[in-house]
Amino acid sequence: METETEDLSRRSIGARRNPASQEAILDAAEAVLREGGIAGFSIEAVARRARAGKPTIYRWWPNRTALMLDVYTRFKNARAFPDTGTLRGDLVAFLDNQLLGFWKDSLCGTVYRAVIAEAQSDAGAEEALQAYQADRKQRALVLVERAKARGEVSQDVDAALIIDLVVAYAWHQLLVGHVAQSMSKVEAVVDTVLLGTPGYRA
């Protein structure tokens, strides 16, 4: 008689991810993170929880950081990027909803801080983080490009620099453990960035 473990392994053969198996593993990874925290998170623990073979997990996620980041991304993708009609409104919502507010008092903040920390000493973790960041940044640039189209800022404004400045503030607060305290400064941070933005018109 075929067991559930054998069935999951059979359906997961190959580098191409089986959607059902992938979701089962991500659900298990989330459960392990919630129950054991970062210290209790490992590929072995997730494999036990998902009743999947470790080779299957390693085939899709080369290290635990990549798996943690996929759990994190699943939460992040549930939040749409803002479109308030103004650059100021978009950046405030971006900082509040996509960054600081997303991390505040949540598993997501703990996971992302761990991912950043591991990327400092592990090449695989660094690669996974850089790939994730590149994708998120491309999406965030749309906020500034829309502002250019509306005539709110000069056409030659460095969109990437504006996003970097906003994200850098959020990362600093996350890494020093001041996310909750920083929430009250969201509007001031955005206003300071916009003050130095060429051609900005409120």
Side-chain angles (χ1 to χ4, degrees):
M1 180 177 179
E2 186 179 63
T3 66
E4 184 174 348
T5 303
E6 290 168 342
D7 180 57
L8 178 58
S9 298
R10 179 177 57 79
R11 288 186 286 113
S12 302
I13 293 173
R16 186 174 182 178
R17 297 184 184 184
N18 176 286
S21 300
Q22 174 179 307
E23 288 303 305
I25 291 169
L26 288 173
D27 286 343
E30 180 186 339
V32 170
L33 280 167
R34 290 191 183 281
E35 294 172 6
I38 301 299
F41 187 80
S42 66
I43 297 296
E44 290 76 10
V46 173
R48 286 195 300 271
R49 184 66 179 245
R51 292 193 288 181
K54 286 196 297 181
T56 295
I57 298 178
Y58 275 117
R59 188 179 302 122
W60 295 345
W61 295 279
N63 50 59
R64 79 170 201 148
T65 305
L67 181 52
M68 282 196 297
L69 199 48
D70 262 12
V71 173
Y72 176 87
T73 301
R74 191 163 63 159
F75 282 109
K76 201 63 174 285
N77 286 344
R79 297 197 175 198
F81 274 85
D83 186 2
T84 66
T86 68
L87 179 57
R88 184 182 187 276
D90 284 352
L91 291 179
V92 167
F94 176 56
L95 188 52
D96 188 8
N97 187 57
Q98 291 280 330
L99 299 168
L100 296 174
F102 181 68
W103 297 329
K104 182 177 177 288
D105 301 325
S106 75
L107 173 67
C108 296
T110 301
V111 169
Y112 201 55
R113 184 163 52 193
V115 168
I116 294 171
E118 292 188 7
Q120 307 312 302
S121 58
D122 182 278
E126 180 184 7
E127 182 180 358
L129 178 59
Q130 287 183 349
Y132 169 80
Q133 275 298 305
D135 176 68
R136 296 298 296 185
K137 188 171 184 177
Q138 284 301 311
R139 300 188 194 189
L141 292 178
V142 173
L143 306 182
V144 184
E145 295 304 325
R146 284 201 305 248
K148 290 183 182 181
R150 290 191 296 260
E152 287 184 82
V153 297
S154 299
Q155 291 300 309
D156 60 352
V157 160
D158 189 338
L161 179 58
I162 292 176
I163 297 302
D164 282 345
L165 289 170
V166 173
V167 172
Y169 173 78
W171 271 41
H172 176 72
Q173 303 307 318
L174 175 67
L175 293 177
V176 300
H178 290 168
V179 169
Q181 300 94 311
S182 68
M183 295 292 293
S184 62
K185 297 182 179 179
V186 166
E187 292 191 12
V189 170
V190 171
D191 287 339
T192 300
V193 171
L194 292 177
L195 189 63
T197 300
Y200 173 68
R201 294 192 299 273

